[in-house]
Amino acid sequence: MTDRAERTDAEDRERAVLQWSIEFEDRERALEHAGRMADPWFGVNDECNRALNEERKRTWGTPELHAACRTLDVPVLIVDGGRDIRPRSAVDSLERALPMVRRVGLPGAGHMPWTEDPKGFRQAVADVL
């Protein structure tokens, strides 16, 4: 694997598009969807990614985070794709932790349902507004 410092911006973009494409259930359009996410190309913020991953390791799934979610006094809408490759347990636990939550699943969408089922996503949001 080429070190990040040795890759061009175009190579970084291509790598990101390939990685992101797996998030889409619609394999025929996955590269197209991922390519649109990369335009315009701003690059990948490695420092931010490291910080988020460290935060995830420290707090995700902890009793403290669950307790903090229980105290939220705001309505929350979760819209998720039924064909998301990510573990369902993460969304399930978030739904259980939030006191004022509504969850809408879009069966044919992957990790980014607003891209693969924009009509369903708009409808889910419009229904709570």
Side-chain angles (χ1 to χ4, degrees), residues 44-85:
V44 173
N45 187 328
D46 290 321
E47 183 178 336
C48 181
N49 278 342
R50 276 191 295 280
L52 287 171
N53 282 325
E54 285 304 314
E55 176 74 12
R56 179 184 55 80
K57 290 176 193 174
R58 284 192 315 274
T59 62
W60 287 18
T62 64
E64 295 81 12
L65 181 59
H66 182 79
C69 287
R70 297 286 322 144
T71 67
L72 289 176
D73 188 24
V74 295
V76 175
L77 171 65
I78 297 173
V79 182
D80 65 322
R83 305 290 298 177
D84 191 342
I85 63 169

Side-chain angles (χ1 to χ4, degrees), residues 25 29 31-33 38 44 59 63-64 66 73 78 81 92-93 97 112 128:
E25 172 61 21
R29 298 184 63 205
L31 286 173
E32 173 191 339
H33 291 316
V44 173
T59 62
E64 295 81 12
H66 182 79
D73 188 24
I78 297 173
D92 296 342
S93 65
M112 291 172 250
V128 299

